[in-house]
């Protein structure tokens, strides 16, 4: 999902834990644990619906992605293509 911010730049928006996991090259469980431990950047939140929805930009998640890939010893074959 792409979004145009107030400054006019276009940014990739990642909204679900599944999308975040794919972007980071880890499991959804890891993403949920990182959220619980406050290891994820502060998300943008939308409260238009019954539940608050979290959004991150690819720029926010890039440092987390680097940290995860640096600390990973084994990367399953199905995730190897997603990790740069």
């Amino acid at each position: 999902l792409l979004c145009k911010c107030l400054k006019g730049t276009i940014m990739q928006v990642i909204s679900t834990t599944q999308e975040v996991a794919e972007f980071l090259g880890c499991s959804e469980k890891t993403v949920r644990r990182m959220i619980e431990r406050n290891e994820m950047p502060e998300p943008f939140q939308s409260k238009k619906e019954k539940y608050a929805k979290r959004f991150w930009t690819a720029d926010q998640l890039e440092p987390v992605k680097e940290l995860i890939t640096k600390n990973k010893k084994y990367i399953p074959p199905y995730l190897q293509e997603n990790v740069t």
Side-chain angles (χ1 to χ4, degrees), residues 18-36:
Q18 180 180 2
E19 290 174 350
V20 173
E22 288 174 8
F23 181 81
L24 296 177
C26 64
S27 69
E28 287 183 62
K29 188 174 184 178
T30 299
V31 172
R32 285 192 298 272
R33 286 181 176 169
M34 290 176 72
I35 292 169
E36 289 171 5

Side-chain angles (χ1 to χ4, degrees), residues 58-71:
D59 293 340
Q60 284 179 297
L61 296 176
E62 202 61 47
V64 178
K65 182 178 183 177
E66 290 175 16
L67 183 67
I68 286 176
T69 54
K70 197 183 296 182
N71 291 337

Side-chain angles (χ1 to χ4, degrees), residues 62 65 69 80-84:
E62 202 61 47
K65 182 178 183 177
T69 54
Q80 287 179 1
E81 62 190 36
N82 296 334
V83 178
T84 57

Side-chain angles (χ1 to χ4, degrees), residues 38-51:
N38 295 320
E39 295 175 355
M40 294 288 287
E42 191 67 33
F44 300 103
Q45 293 199 350
S46 169
K47 294 189 180 184
K48 291 182 180 180
E49 300 170 12
K50 185 176 180 180
Y51 301 102

